[in-house]
Amino acid sequence: MSMLPVLISREEVMRLLQNNDLIPSLESALGMFSKRNGTEVIQPVRTTVPLQKYNGFLGLMPAYIAHEDVLAIKIVSFYQRDKDSDLSAHQATVLLFDPERGNVIAVMDGITITEKRTAAVSAISAKLLMPPKAEVLCILGSGSQAISHYEVFTQMFSFKEIRVWSRRRERAEQFARAVQGPVAVFSSVKEAVEGSDVIITVTMATEPVLQGEWVKPGAHVAAVGACRPDWRELDDALMRKAVVYVDSREGASTESGDIILSGASIFAELGEVINGTKSAQCEKTTVFKSLGMGIQDAVCAKLVFDQWKSQQ
Protein backbone atom coordinates (compact mmCIF):
# COMPACT_ATOMS: atom_id res chain seq x y z
CA MET A 1 0.00 0.00 0.00
CA SER A 2 1.42 3.39 -0.96
CA MET A 3 2.22 5.91 1.76
CA LEU A 4 0.72 9.38 1.67
CA PRO A 5 3.27 12.18 1.39
CA VAL A 6 4.28 14.07 4.49
CA LEU A 7 2.90 17.61 4.74
CA ILE A 8 5.40 20.10 6.19
CA SER A 9 4.01 23.52 7.11
CA ARG A 10 5.55 26.96 6.77
CA GLU A 11 6.23 27.09 10.51
CA GLU A 12 8.02 23.73 10.42
CA VAL A 13 10.09 24.73 7.37
CA MET A 14 11.08 27.95 9.15
CA ARG A 15 12.20 25.96 12.19
CA LEU A 16 13.95 23.14 10.34
CA LEU A 17 15.83 25.12 7.66
CA GLN A 18 18.84 26.82 9.25
CA ASN A 19 21.44 28.98 7.50
CA ASN A 20 24.34 27.09 9.08
CA ASP A 21 23.28 23.99 7.14
CA LEU A 22 21.86 25.77 4.12
CA ILE A 23 24.80 27.93 3.03
CA PRO A 24 27.44 25.17 2.64
CA SER A 25 24.88 22.94 0.91
CA LEU A 26 23.99 25.71 -1.56
CA GLU A 27 27.67 26.47 -2.23
CA SER A 28 28.23 22.82 -3.08
CA ALA A 29 25.18 22.72 -5.38
CA LEU A 30 26.16 25.93 -7.19
CA GLY A 31 29.64 24.55 -7.77
CA MET A 32 28.29 21.26 -9.13
CA PHE A 33 25.86 23.06 -11.42
CA SER A 34 28.65 25.10 -13.00
CA LYS A 35 30.74 22.01 -13.76
CA ARG A 36 28.13 21.05 -16.39
CA ASN A 37 28.84 17.34 -16.59
CA GLY A 38 25.29 16.72 -17.73
CA THR A 39 24.42 13.95 -15.29
CA GLU A 40 25.33 15.21 -11.81
CA VAL A 41 22.83 18.07 -11.94
CA ILE A 42 19.80 18.11 -14.22
CA GLN A 43 17.88 21.38 -14.22
CA PRO A 44 15.92 22.78 -17.17
CA VAL A 45 15.24 26.49 -17.37
CA ARG A 46 12.13 27.47 -15.46
CA THR A 47 8.86 27.02 -17.36
CA THR A 48 6.58 30.03 -16.97
CA VAL A 49 2.86 30.31 -17.65
CA PRO A 50 1.77 33.96 -17.99
CA LEU A 51 -1.63 34.82 -16.52
CA GLN A 52 -2.23 38.24 -18.00
CA LYS A 53 -5.87 38.34 -16.91
CA TYR A 54 -4.70 38.30 -13.28
CA ASN A 55 -1.35 40.08 -13.67
CA GLY A 56 0.57 37.00 -12.61
CA PHE A 57 2.76 34.08 -13.60
CA LEU A 58 3.02 30.42 -12.67
CA GLY A 59 6.49 28.87 -12.73
CA LEU A 60 7.61 25.22 -12.65
CA MET A 61 11.16 24.49 -11.41
CA PRO A 62 12.19 20.81 -11.44
CA ALA A 63 15.69 19.59 -10.56
CA TYR A 64 17.64 16.41 -9.88
CA ILE A 65 20.98 16.23 -8.02
CA ALA A 66 22.56 12.82 -8.59
CA HIS A 67 25.10 12.55 -5.78
CA GLU A 68 22.47 13.64 -3.24
CA ASP A 69 19.86 11.53 -5.06
CA VAL A 70 17.32 14.31 -4.58
CA LEU A 71 14.47 14.96 -7.00
CA ALA A 72 12.15 17.90 -6.43
CA ILE A 73 9.98 20.47 -8.13
CA LYS A 74 8.85 23.88 -6.94
CA ILE A 75 5.56 25.29 -8.19
CA VAL A 76 5.66 29.04 -7.70
CA SER A 77 3.25 31.84 -8.53
CA PHE A 78 4.30 35.47 -8.84
CA TYR A 79 1.68 38.22 -8.88
CA GLN A 80 1.78 41.99 -9.02
CA ARG A 81 -0.41 42.55 -5.95
CA ASP A 82 -2.54 45.54 -5.07
CA LYS A 83 -0.82 47.55 -2.33
CA ASP A 84 -3.49 46.54 0.20
CA SER A 85 -3.31 42.81 -0.56
CA ASP A 86 -2.70 40.50 2.39
CA LEU A 87 -0.97 37.94 0.14
CA SER A 88 2.75 38.11 -0.61
CA ALA A 89 3.82 38.46 -4.24
CA HIS A 90 5.15 34.88 -4.23
CA GLN A 91 3.23 31.74 -3.35
CA ALA A 92 5.09 28.43 -3.58
CA THR A 93 4.95 24.72 -2.82
CA VAL A 94 7.82 22.23 -3.11
CA LEU A 95 7.26 18.54 -3.87
CA LEU A 96 10.02 16.11 -2.88
CA PHE A 97 10.06 12.76 -4.72
CA ASP A 98 11.54 9.34 -4.18
CA PRO A 99 13.79 9.42 -7.28
CA GLU A 100 13.87 5.61 -7.53
CA ARG A 101 10.11 5.12 -7.63
CA GLY A 102 8.83 8.55 -8.67
CA ASN A 103 6.29 8.94 -5.86
CA VAL A 104 5.93 12.16 -3.84
CA ILE A 105 7.30 11.69 -0.32
CA ALA A 106 6.82 15.21 0.99
CA VAL A 107 4.83 18.34 0.20
CA MET A 108 6.19 21.43 1.91
CA ASP A 109 5.73 25.16 2.07
CA GLY A 110 7.86 26.81 -0.61
CA ILE A 111 7.48 30.43 0.44
CA THR A 112 9.95 30.12 3.33
CA ILE A 113 12.25 27.98 1.18
CA THR A 114 12.24 30.66 -1.52
CA GLU A 115 12.91 33.45 0.96
CA LYS A 116 15.71 31.64 2.77
CA ARG A 117 17.56 30.11 -0.16
CA THR A 118 17.42 33.35 -2.18
CA ALA A 119 18.86 35.36 0.70
CA ALA A 120 21.49 32.70 1.38
CA VAL A 121 22.69 32.74 -2.24
CA SER A 122 22.88 36.55 -2.14
CA ALA A 123 24.99 36.23 1.01
CA ILE A 124 27.26 33.73 -0.75
CA SER A 125 27.70 36.25 -3.56
CA ALA A 126 28.63 38.94 -1.04
CA LYS A 127 31.08 36.65 0.74
CA LEU A 128 32.85 36.07 -2.57
CA LEU A 129 32.50 39.49 -4.23
CA MET A 130 31.96 42.34 -1.77
CA PRO A 131 34.83 44.74 -1.05
CA PRO A 132 37.12 44.07 1.93
CA LYS A 133 36.04 45.88 5.10
CA ALA A 134 32.50 46.47 3.82
CA GLU A 135 30.76 48.62 6.42
CA VAL A 136 27.51 49.91 4.92
CA LEU A 137 24.66 47.64 3.77
CA CYS A 138 21.74 49.09 1.80
CA ILE A 139 18.48 47.22 1.14
CA LEU A 140 16.13 48.52 -1.54
CA GLY A 141 12.73 47.00 -0.83
CA SER A 142 10.91 46.16 2.38
CA GLY A 143 8.97 42.93 1.82
CA SER A 144 9.61 39.37 2.98
CA GLN A 145 12.75 39.01 0.84
CA ALA A 146 14.15 42.16 2.45
CA ILE A 147 13.64 40.62 5.88
CA SER A 148 15.21 37.27 4.94
CA HIS A 149 18.19 39.10 3.41
CA TYR A 150 18.60 41.25 6.51
CA GLU A 151 18.59 38.15 8.71
CA VAL A 152 21.28 36.20 6.86
CA PHE A 153 23.46 39.23 6.06
CA THR A 154 23.55 40.37 9.68
CA GLN A 155 24.21 36.79 10.77
CA MET A 156 27.16 36.35 8.38
CA PHE A 157 28.70 39.83 8.30
CA SER A 158 29.34 42.79 10.59
CA PHE A 159 28.10 46.04 9.07
CA LYS A 160 28.43 49.33 10.91
CA GLU A 161 25.38 50.81 9.19
CA ILE A 162 22.28 49.31 7.59
CA ARG A 163 20.00 51.38 5.38
CA VAL A 164 16.60 50.67 3.87
CA TRP A 165 14.45 52.33 1.22
CA SER A 166 10.97 51.46 -0.01
CA ARG A 167 8.56 53.14 -2.43
CA ARG A 168 6.27 53.68 0.53
CA ARG A 169 8.15 55.12 3.48
CA GLU A 170 5.72 53.58 5.94
CA ARG A 171 6.68 50.13 4.64
CA ALA A 172 10.37 50.91 5.18
CA GLU A 173 9.59 52.08 8.72
CA GLN A 174 7.56 48.93 9.32
CA PHE A 175 10.56 46.86 8.13
CA ALA A 176 12.89 48.76 10.48
CA ARG A 177 10.61 48.00 13.43
CA ALA A 178 10.29 44.32 12.49
CA VAL A 179 14.00 43.45 12.40
CA GLN A 180 16.38 43.18 15.32
CA GLY A 181 18.91 46.01 15.25
CA PRO A 182 19.21 49.65 14.16
CA VAL A 183 18.17 50.45 10.59
CA ALA A 184 18.24 53.90 8.98
CA VAL A 185 15.21 54.65 6.77
CA PHE A 186 15.84 56.75 3.65
CA SER A 187 13.33 58.62 1.50
CA SER A 188 15.26 58.38 -1.79
CA VAL A 189 17.19 55.60 -3.49
CA LYS A 190 20.04 57.98 -4.27
CA GLU A 191 20.57 58.95 -0.63
CA ALA A 192 20.30 55.34 0.55
CA VAL A 193 22.74 54.00 -2.02
CA GLU A 194 25.50 56.63 -2.03
CA GLY A 195 28.45 55.39 0.00
CA SER A 196 27.05 51.88 0.46
CA ASP A 197 29.46 48.95 0.13
CA VAL A 198 26.78 46.29 -0.45
CA ILE A 199 23.42 47.00 -2.09
CA ILE A 200 20.57 44.47 -2.18
CA THR A 201 17.69 45.10 -4.57
CA VAL A 202 14.54 43.18 -3.63
CA THR A 203 11.90 45.36 -5.26
CA MET A 204 8.82 44.87 -7.38
CA ALA A 205 10.22 47.29 -9.96
CA THR A 206 9.68 46.79 -13.67
CA GLU A 207 11.78 49.89 -14.56
CA PRO A 208 15.27 50.67 -13.17
CA VAL A 209 15.33 52.05 -9.62
CA LEU A 210 19.12 51.88 -9.12
CA GLN A 211 21.39 54.08 -11.23
CA GLY A 212 25.04 53.35 -11.78
CA GLU A 213 26.12 56.93 -11.08
CA TRP A 214 24.96 56.53 -7.46
CA VAL A 215 26.93 53.31 -6.85
CA LYS A 216 30.40 53.86 -5.49
CA PRO A 217 33.30 52.13 -7.27
CA GLY A 218 33.99 48.71 -5.85
CA ALA A 219 30.53 48.21 -4.35
CA HIS A 220 28.72 44.88 -4.66
CA VAL A 221 25.10 44.70 -5.83
CA ALA A 222 22.95 41.62 -5.23
CA ALA A 223 19.97 42.08 -7.58
CA VAL A 224 17.06 39.80 -6.72
CA GLY A 225 13.94 41.38 -8.25
CA ALA A 226 13.05 41.84 -11.93
CA CYS A 227 12.69 38.14 -12.79
CA ARG A 228 11.14 38.68 -16.22
CA PRO A 229 12.90 39.48 -19.53
CA ASP A 230 11.14 42.87 -19.79
CA TRP A 231 11.58 43.96 -16.14
CA ARG A 232 14.48 46.00 -14.76
CA GLU A 233 15.88 47.08 -11.40
CA LEU A 234 19.33 48.28 -12.58
CA ASP A 235 20.08 50.86 -15.26
CA ASP A 236 22.33 50.46 -18.28
CA ALA A 237 25.14 52.50 -16.73
CA LEU A 238 25.45 50.10 -13.79
CA MET A 239 25.10 46.94 -15.86
CA ARG A 240 27.76 48.05 -18.32
CA LYS A 241 30.35 49.24 -15.81
CA ALA A 242 30.01 46.30 -13.42
CA VAL A 243 31.50 42.83 -13.58
CA VAL A 244 28.34 40.71 -13.87
CA TYR A 245 27.89 37.36 -12.13
CA VAL A 246 24.80 35.12 -12.30
CA ASP A 247 23.51 31.86 -10.83
CA SER A 248 22.88 30.38 -14.30
CA ARG A 249 24.03 31.80 -17.64
CA GLU A 250 21.17 30.10 -19.46
CA GLY A 251 18.57 31.27 -16.96
CA ALA A 252 19.86 34.86 -16.88
CA SER A 253 20.07 35.08 -20.66
CA THR A 254 16.46 33.91 -20.90
CA GLU A 255 14.78 35.64 -17.95
CA SER A 256 16.74 38.68 -16.76
CA GLY A 257 15.64 42.00 -18.21
CA ASP A 258 18.59 43.66 -16.48
CA ILE A 259 20.95 41.59 -18.63
CA ILE A 260 18.92 41.19 -21.82
CA LEU A 261 17.85 44.83 -22.20
CA SER A 262 21.19 46.38 -21.18
CA GLY A 263 23.23 44.09 -23.44
CA ALA A 264 25.62 43.48 -20.55
CA SER A 265 27.99 40.54 -20.82
CA ILE A 266 28.03 37.84 -18.15
CA PHE A 267 31.49 37.35 -16.68
CA ALA A 268 30.83 34.23 -14.60
CA GLU A 269 28.40 32.04 -12.75
CA LEU A 270 28.74 32.08 -8.98
CA GLY A 271 29.53 28.36 -9.12
CA GLU A 272 32.53 29.06 -11.34
CA VAL A 273 33.94 31.36 -8.66
CA ILE A 274 33.29 28.67 -6.04
CA ASN A 275 35.08 26.13 -8.26
CA GLY A 276 38.03 28.49 -8.82
CA THR A 277 37.62 28.56 -12.61
CA LYS A 278 36.63 32.26 -12.63
CA SER A 279 37.96 35.07 -10.48
CA ALA A 280 36.17 37.08 -7.80
CA GLN A 281 36.93 40.65 -8.85
CA CYS A 282 36.28 42.29 -5.47
CA GLU A 283 38.27 45.38 -6.37
CA LYS A 284 35.76 46.25 -9.09
CA THR A 285 32.05 47.12 -8.99
CA THR A 286 30.21 43.80 -9.14
CA VAL A 287 26.62 42.77 -9.79
CA PHE A 288 25.21 39.36 -8.89
CA LYS A 289 21.97 38.87 -10.81
CA SER A 290 19.93 36.27 -8.94
CA LEU A 291 17.04 34.48 -10.60
CA GLY A 292 16.82 31.39 -8.43
CA MET A 293 17.24 27.77 -9.51
CA GLY A 294 15.46 24.49 -8.98
CA ILE A 295 18.56 22.92 -7.45
CA GLN A 296 18.44 25.52 -4.68
CA ASP A 297 14.89 24.45 -3.82
CA ALA A 298 15.85 20.77 -4.05
CA VAL A 299 18.74 21.29 -1.61
CA CYS A 300 16.36 23.00 0.80
CA ALA A 301 13.71 20.30 0.47
CA LYS A 302 16.23 17.59 1.32
CA LEU A 303 17.55 19.50 4.33
CA VAL A 304 14.02 20.09 5.63
CA PHE A 305 12.91 16.48 5.08
CA ASP A 306 16.06 15.00 6.65
CA GLN A 307 15.63 17.24 9.70
CA TRP A 308 11.96 16.32 9.91
CA LYS A 309 12.76 12.59 9.78
CA SER A 310 15.45 12.90 12.45
CA GLN A 311 12.92 14.42 14.84
CA GLN A 312 10.20 11.77 14.39
Side-chain angles (χ1 to χ4, degrees):
M1 186 174 66
S2 63
M3 298 288 290
L4 290 173
V6 172
L7 299 178
I8 304 179
S9 69
R10 181 182 176 101
E11 290 73 24
E12 288 180 292
V13 172
M14 199 170 295
R15 177 177 63 84
L16 296 170
L17 191 58
Q18 298 298 315
N19 287 324
N20 290 340
D21 302 319
L22 180 56
I23 286 170
S25 296
L26 285 172
E27 286 183 338
S28 174
L30 289 166
M32 283 188 297
F33 175 79
S34 292
K35 287 178 181 175
R36 295 293 199 281
N37 67 7
T39 57
E40 186 59 44
V41 174
I42 301 172
Q43 177 193 270
V45 173
R46 172 169 35 212
T47 299
T48 304
V49 180
L51 301 164
Q52 295 178 348
K53 179 179 177 181
Y54 301 108
N55 208 13
F57 299 86
L58 179 70
L60 304 177
M61 303 172 64
Y64 176 64
I65 304 174
H67 92 284
E68 297 278 359
D69 206 26
V70 56
L71 176 65
I73 184 171
K74 183 169 77 177
I75 304 168
V76 57
S77 65
F78 180 84
Y79 280 66
Q80 295 273 29
R81 305 286 187 197
D82 295 332
K83 65 179 183 179
D84 298 324
S85 174
D86 56 359
L87 280 176
S88 68
H90 290 85
Q91 300 292 306
T93 301
V94 178
L95 309 183
L96 183 65
F97 294 80
D98 178 339
E100 182 180 357
R101 298 175 179 85
N103 57 301
V104 178
I105 57 176
V107 178
M108 62 188 74
D109 169 73
I111 299 175
T112 299
I113 283 176
T114 302
E115 291 168 357
K116 286 200 168 192
R117 60 83 152 149
T118 305
V121 172
S122 294
I124 293 168
S125 83
K127 183 176 76 168
L128 296 170
L129 301 171
M130 73 181 186
K133 300 179 181 177
E135 296 183 344
V136 181
L137 171 67
C138 174
I139 302 175
L140 304 180
S142 58
S144 57
Q145 279 287 1
I147 291 173
S148 63
H149 277 74
Y150 175 91
E151 289 172 349
V152 70
F153 271 72
T154 53
Q155 180 182 334
M156 285 184 63
F157 311 112
S158 297
F159 293 101
K160 292 184 178 179
E161 182 183 357
I162 300 175
R163 306 171 177 179
V164 66
W165 168 88
S166 185
R167 289 189 189 277
R168 296 164 58 197
R169 185 179 174 90
E170 64 267 27
R171 289 292 304 273
E173 291 171 346
Q174 182 181 358
F175 167 89
R177 290 192 297 270
V179 299
Q180 301 296 315
V183 175
V185 175
F186 283 75
S187 297
S188 78
V189 177
K190 182 176 185 290
E191 292 174 333
V193 165
E194 287 181 333
S196 295
D197 300 298
V198 178
I199 303 162
I200 300 167
T201 61
V202 281
T203 73
M204 294 288 290
T206 57
E207 299 290 337
V209 294
L210 180 58
Q211 297 185 21
E213 64 180 291
W214 303 335
V215 177
K216 81 175 192 180
H220 174 60
V221 179
V224 175
C227 60
R228 300 297 300 150
D230 55 347
W231 293 0
R232 301 285 300 271
E233 285 187 309
L234 318 180
D235 75 349
D236 287 352
L238 176 55
M239 291 303 297
R240 290 173 183 170
K241 81 174 184 180
V243 183
V244 178
Y245 298 80
V246 297
D247 43 19
S248 160
R249 274 192 176 85
E250 188 179 11
S253 299
T254 303
E255 296 184 305
S256 170
D258 284 317
I259 288 170
I260 295 166
L261 299 178
S262 69
S265 61
I266 297 169
F267 174 72
E269 292 178 343
L270 214 55
E272 293 175 305
V273 180
I274 291 167
N275 294 338
T277 57
K278 290 281 189 175
S279 61
Q281 300 194 26
C282 306
E283 73 285 357
K284 297 181 181 178
T285 305
T286 55
V287 165
F288 169 60
K289 179 56 204 172
S290 170
L291 284 161
M293 299 196 294
I295 58 165
Q296 298 166 2
D297 302 310
V299 163
C300 291
K302 185 177 190 308
L303 287 171
V304 168
F305 187 65
D306 288 350
Q307 284 289 328
W308 180 87
K309 281 197 303 183
S310 72
Q311 296 178 18
Q312 298 309 299

